[in-house]
Amino acid sequence: MGAGGETTSQQKPTADQQEREVSAQSVDEYLSRDLKSKNDKYRQTHSGEEIILTDEEDPAAKKKKTASYFNVVFSGFALLSDGYQSGVISFINLLMTEIYGTEIFNSEMSSRLSYALFVGAIVGQLGFGLIIDRVGRKIGLILTTALVILGAAMSAASSGTSATGLLWMMVISRGVLGVGVGGEYPCSSVSAGESADEVAPGRRGALFVLVTNFVIDLGYVVSAIVVVVLLAIFKDNLEPVWRLALGLGILPPLSVLYFRLRMADSKRYQQGALQKKVPYWLIFKKYWGRMLLTSGLWFAYDAVSFPNGVFSTIIIDTAAPGGTLIQTTAWNILLYAFYLPGSLGGALVIDKLGRRKTLALGLFAQGIVGMILGGTYAPLSANCFPMFVVSIYIYIYLVMYGIFLALGEFGPGDCMGLNAMELFPTAIRGTGYGIAAAMGKVGATVGTLAFKPMQESMGIRGPFLVGSAISLVASVVAFYFLPEVGPDFLVQQDIDFKNYLAEQGYDITRLGVDDKKNYSSTNNNDNNNAGRSNDNE
């Protein structure tokens, strides 16, 4: 016994060796599980034999794929309300000016009303980016949906003992709405992206764009159409116009609330979540470069996109000088409509051309067109607009400006959110997306504040030319520094993240969500449990 015991003692691995062995096994199991989940065949044991079933033959697999399709659609559809609420505020400002005049609804109050949504969005992007990583994708989607409904209802029902009191209630309500709208960005985008990866990883980019950026752009168009219809119905009675315009923003989130209550967290989140003892320093050391890249590009794009609004006002004033409210709003329908073909075009090529090239191409082309527009505005306005040929030139200029807007959606509009969703592992995807999106909002604020002094020193075309130059620089940065993203990028990135944590001595058994923590419907729980059983066999 003495010799045998001594031999046994010598062969017993140390605690460090055991920990490394467990970590290595966990990584291998994760790799095996993910590769199996990517395969469209499922193994079952029947009468002692192993049977291979395809997706078409396996009812559980078909149900899971159908559930993933619904997750993609209902994760992103509420973003229609986000685009709607962001677009409708410009028309609300016009209506409030008509109703209360500039003495009550002055420039300061107008700025408060516009920036309330802005500030709330930054809070929502940062806060809910963290929540969906630590608590779950589904709980974030439900909370943001509730906030958007609440904020929109409060905005529409704004009242007070005075006109100023009513406006202040609207400002506060828009702030609440902004938290929900901002939270929708990481919640909807991350959930939609992960679900799209389960449905069709090779077309993940196109699916993501169609249920996020395209839906947001559609919301802008709908906001202008709704206001035109309401103005046509109520004529000069403007109070029901602004109340209904704000209140109808409730419908998109309300229509998806039931389905979001029935949704499950994505399979990728269930496997790769990191809810406790998060190694923030290790994460920062590995991903600070990507955080800087995604945030910097989004900051630059939003900072230079403000000339769009400036030039749209100039074009509308030139095309329809002294136009009525309904005429001005109708022109905005046309300008907003240019967003849609740009977004669809990006969706068609983003998986074939790649994110890096699509973003770089869109920024470069928009910068070139912007230079042409900014450079030709002064001579056209001085020599052509006052003449009888004004209509010809303004429509040519309008088409060029529409191309400029479409290129913005084709490249950065489609790719900024997609990059922020794909370039971080599952465990920190919501946090990374939220920070990048919030930096975009900060960039838009900086750009807006810089506009007036730039316009005073360089004229009306100055901000446009400077913004186009920044777009050209951003296109070069995107082309040379963004990584290539393929169909298996999310899978491999999670594996690399687990390997990195294991190498740093972190206990990777903390990754993943227990069944009792998975916020999902009964049917989805059954499907997920079946999937895990198949994986474990």
Side-chain angles (χ1 to χ4, degrees):
M1 285 294 294
E6 183 177 353
T7 302
T8 302
S9 177
Q10 290 174 350
Q11 292 179 348
K12 185 178 180 180
T14 64
D16 290 341
Q17 289 173 332
Q18 287 178 331
E19 185 175 352
R20 284 194 295 270
E21 185 177 340
V22 170
S23 296
Q25 289 175 350
S26 298
V27 172
D28 290 340
E29 289 171 2
Y30 180 82
L31 174 60
S32 174
R33 183 169 69 250
D34 256 327
L35 291 178
K36 186 178 289 186
S37 69
K38 286 293 177 183
N39 199 326
D40 61 356
K41 296 182 179 181
Y42 296 81
R43 297 181 181 273
Q44 290 186 341
T45 302
H46 179 68
S47 301
E49 297 180 357
E50 203 170 52
I51 304 174
I52 299 178
L53 299 178
T54 63
D55 282 354
E56 290 75 15
E57 298 169 331
D58 188 356
K62 292 173 70 175
K63 287 183 180 179
K64 289 171 66 178
K65 194 165 186 177
T66 301
S68 294
Y69 270 116
F70 278 107
N71 282 0
V72 172
V73 173
F74 294 117
S75 291
F77 184 75
L79 287 170
L80 178 71
S81 181
D82 302 346
Y84 179 90
Q85 294 291 353
S86 298
V88 79
I89 193 60
S90 60
F91 309 121
I92 299 301
N93 280 332
L94 291 174
L95 294 171
M96 290 300 170
T97 302
E98 288 288 326
I99 295 172
Y100 298 110
T102 55
E103 290 186 4
I104 296 176
F105 192 73
N106 52 33
S107 59
E108 291 183 359
M109 185 59 74
S110 176
S111 296
R112 292 189 192 109
L113 190 59
S114 298
Y115 279 104
L117 187 77
F118 218 66
V119 174
I122 294 175
V123 174
Q125 286 164 341
L126 293 174
F128 279 98
L130 191 64
I131 287 173
I132 61 173
D133 281 343
R134 301 295 162 261
V135 183
R137 310 305 198 216
K138 177 180 178 178
I139 193 67
L141 288 168
I142 294 172
L143 289 175
T144 55
T145 304
L147 282 172
V148 172
I149 293 172
L150 176 64
M154 289 174 59
S155 298
S158 294
S159 61
T161 56
S162 66
T164 302
L166 181 149
L167 293 172
W168 269 110
M169 180 178 174
M170 189 183 296
V171 169
I172 295 171
S173 301
R174 294 285 292 180
V176 174
L177 175 65
V179 176
V181 167
E184 278 286 344
Y185 277 79
C187 294
S188 296
S189 300
V190 168
S191 182
E194 290 176 346
S195 297
D197 189 62
E198 296 175 12
V199 171
R203 293 182 284 116
R204 183 178 61 244
L207 289 173
F208 178 89
V209 169
L210 290 176
V211 299
T212 56
N213 190 52
F214 179 78
V215 171
I216 293 172
D217 291 342
L218 184 61
Y220 276 90
V221 178
V222 172
S223 70
I225 294 174
V226 166
V227 173
V228 167
V229 172
L230 292 174
L231 285 170
I233 294 173
F234 294 101
K235 310 290 184 189
D236 295 330
N237 186 12
L238 300 183
E239 181 168 352
V241 175
W242 72 259
R243 289 190 183 276
L244 285 172
L246 291 174
L248 289 173
I250 297 173
L251 295 181
L254 193 62
S255 66
V256 301
L257 179 59
Y258 170 78
F259 297 98
R260 287 185 168 188
L261 289 169
R262 298 280 297 171
M263 285 171 57
D265 287 327
S266 68
K267 185 176 181 181
R268 189 146 308 287
Y269 179 77
Q270 294 172 34
Q271 295 175 353
L274 188 55
Q275 298 180 319
K276 294 181 180 179
K277 296 183 179 179
V278 182
Y280 288 108
W281 177 242
L282 292 179
I283 292 169
F284 176 78
K285 285 198 300 181
K286 183 171 178 62
Y287 293 102
W288 70 268
R290 289 187 179 180
M291 183 65 67
L292 181 63
L293 182 62
T294 55
S295 300
L297 286 172
W298 212 330
F299 178 96
Y301 172 64
D302 279 7
V304 303
S305 63
F306 68 91
N308 299 358
V310 175
F311 260 59
S312 65
T313 302
I314 293 170
I315 290 175
I316 291 172
D317 289 343
T318 305
T324 63
L325 278 174
I326 196 168
Q327 289 174 331
T328 301
T329 308
W331 273 96
N332 275 283
I333 296 176
L334 178 61
L335 292 178
Y336 286 157
F338 281 111
Y339 291 153
L340 302 181
S343 182
L344 285 175
L348 290 175
V349 304
I350 201 165
D351 289 311
K352 298 176 182 178
L353 192 60
R355 287 76 162 130
R356 179 177 64 88
K357 293 178 182 178
T358 302
L359 176 56
L361 177 61
L363 285 168
F364 182 80
Q366 189 184 38
I368 295 298
V369 174
M371 287 288 185
I372 296 172
L373 290 172
T376 59
Y377 174 75
L380 283 176
S381 61
N383 301 318
C384 297
F385 286 164
M387 301 180 186
F388 68 92
V389 292
V390 59
S391 59
I392 299 175
Y393 280 97
I394 190 58
Y395 290 126
I396 292 175
Y397 203 83
L398 178 62
V399 171
M400 287 289 292
Y401 181 66
I403 294 172
F404 174 85
L405 295 178
L407 288 171
E409 297 308 302
F410 172 88
D414 283 354
C415 294
M416 291 300 179
L418 183 59
N419 283 334
M421 189 279 295
E422 291 182 327
L423 294 183
F424 300 100
T426 300
I428 59 167
R429 183 166 292 130
T431 304
Y433 189 104
I435 292 173
M439 285 302 296
K441 294 297 184 185
V442 173
T445 304
V446 171
T448 303
L449 294 175
F451 167 67
K452 286 188 177 180
M454 193 183 301
Q455 181 183 358
E456 291 172 359
S457 61
M458 302 175 63
I460 192 66
R461 64 178 183 163
F464 208 93
L465 294 173
V466 171
S468 297
I470 294 175
S471 293
L472 294 175
V473 173
S475 72
V476 175
V477 173
F479 186 81
Y480 285 104
F481 291 97
L482 281 175
E484 292 288 356
V485 175
D488 295 327
F489 189 83
L490 299 189
V491 176
Q492 190 58 49
Q493 183 167 237
D494 280 358
I495 295 170
D496 292 342
F497 180 62
K498 281 183 174 257
N499 277 319
Y500 167 72
L501 292 181
E503 291 168 0
Q504 299 297 318
Y506 182 80
D507 180 10
I508 62 172
T509 59
R510 295 192 181 104
L511 289 163
V513 179
D514 296 334
D515 289 342
K516 62 183 180 181
K517 298 178 184 176
N518 183 27
Y519 301 94
S520 58
S521 65
T522 303
N523 291 336
N524 282 331
N525 268 329
D526 293 340
N527 291 336
N528 292 332
N529 291 335
R532 281 192 289 273
S533 298
N534 292 336
D535 287 342
N536 291 332
E537 287 181 358

